[in-house]
Amino acid sequence: DQQVKQNSPSLSVQEGRISILNCDYTNSMFDYFLWYKKYPAEGPTFLISISSIKDKNEDGRFTVFLNKSAKHLSLHIVPSQPGDSAVYFCAAINTNAGKSTFGDGTTLTVKP
Amino acid sequence: EPEVTQTPSHQVTQMGQEVILRCVPISNHLYFYWYRQILGQKVEFLVSFYNNEISEKSEIFDDQFSVERPDGSNFTLKIRSTKLEDSAMYFCASRLGRESRDQPQHFGDGTRLSIL
């Protein structure tokens, strides 16, 4: 049972445009959500998070939206830059349990 | 900025041999984790560790696996008798306190384990 799903394995966007990465989850016990960015040969790097009590969190060019009723979250990057090209993982946590459950990742390519 | 460090970056081991993967978490962090990522697949949770004991483990973390915090700084993952399917990137992570809104896990760069 895949509790966190990222249905798009890849996304290609032109520099300066918006990148939208999507994530769906099934476990209603998840109450904290994170996006990590991963470059080849490096570990995941924390990008932005959102608590289930919010529906939006913004940090510079990055905004995460949470739709609890749809069990869906998305990461918006605007404007996209070539340096944003990486694999983006969505992760969900039940804060009573503690571990992170990761999605499969979406490879974002931002073209100059 | 403090970081989680993992050694070695690449470990090659014969099938059936024991291997120990080492991690130095961020010094004031209290919660420690191991994850793995088989090539082309998702990052999978293995185990979490707090207060010198395992707090949670996945189905992957069977009797062949063990973790230890032998001193105040290292956190190790041991695989007793490696199998071909153990080949993966192994990521260590640490976190300051109980999972909360402002305390994400910080990951090391991983150890690539290759079983021959």
Side-chain angles (χ1 to χ4, degrees):
Chain A
D1 173 34
Q2 193 164 354
Q3 296 188 63
V4 179
K5 292 181 72 172
Q6 294 175 253
N7 289 319
S8 298
S10 63
L11 175 68
S12 183
V13 169
Q14 205 65 37
E15 181 179 7
R17 306 295 289 266
I18 185 170
S19 296
I20 300 176
L21 297 101
N22 293 301
C23 178
D24 297 291
Y25 62 96
T26 57
N27 188 340
S28 57
M29 298 299 291
F30 290 142
D31 57 357
Y32 182 45
F33 304 90
L34 309 95
W35 284 95
Y36 286 88
K37 178 179 177 180
K38 186 180 180 305
Y39 293 116
E42 293 184 12
T45 303
F46 170 70
L47 199 55
I48 193 169
S49 64
I50 189 167
S51 145
S52 61
I53 61 174
K54 294 186 174 181
D55 54 18
K56 177 182 175 181
N57 188 26
E58 191 172 352
D59 183 3
R61 296 185 298 114
F62 302 92
T63 303
V64 56
F65 294 92
L66 175 63
N67 183 334
K68 279 181 63 180
S69 60
K71 294 191 176 65
H72 176 84
L73 65 154
S74 60
L75 174 68
H76 292 211
I77 307 173
V78 56
S80 302
Q81 299 172 353
D84 295 330
S85 298
V87 180
Y88 288 79
F89 291 97
C90 162
I93 296 169
N94 171 359
T95 53
N96 288 324
K99 69 174 186 181
S100 293
T101 301
F102 283 81
D104 290 335
T106 297
T107 300
L108 173 66
T109 303
V110 180
K111 297 180 179 177
Chain B
E1 184 176 322
E3 17 174 76
V4 176
T5 56
Q6 291 185 242
T7 55
S9 56
H10 190 192
Q11 174 77 47
V12 182
T13 302
Q14 291 287 333
M15 185 173 62
Q17 296 294 306
E18 175 183 287
V19 67
I20 297 176
L21 309 182
R22 302 181 190 280
C23 171
V24 179
I26 295 173
S27 62
N28 61 338
H29 284 192
L30 302 176
Y31 291 80
F32 314 108
Y33 307 82
W34 283 101
Y35 292 83
R36 79 170 186 192
Q37 184 180 27
I38 295 172
L39 186 65
Q41 299 185 22
K42 66 192 300 181
V43 176
E44 299 173 292
F45 168 77
L46 292 178
V47 66
S48 59
F49 191 86
Y50 169 70
N51 200 25
N52 284 319
E53 60 182 23
I54 291 173
S55 46
E56 189 176 1
K57 59 183 181 180
S58 72
E59 292 175 352
I60 303 167
F61 195 88
D62 61 21
D63 292 344
Q64 293 299 312
F65 291 86
S66 63
V67 289
E68 195 177 29
R69 188 153 162 83
D71 51 43
S73 60
N74 290 283
F75 179 51
T76 61
L77 174 69
K78 181 193 291 186
I79 309 175
R80 264 180 272 282
S81 178
T82 50
K83 303 187 285 287
L84 293 176
E85 52 265 38
D86 294 327
S87 295
M89 281 291 288
Y90 287 81
F91 293 105
C92 171
S94 71
R95 184 169 56 78
L96 177 60
R98 188 106 183 110
E99 209 80 54
S100 73
R101 283 40 176 167
D102 298 315
Q103 296 176 10
Q105 294 170 18
H106 295 262
F107 285 79
D109 284 340
T111 292
R112 178 169 299 283
L113 177 63
S114 299
I115 307 300
L116 304 179

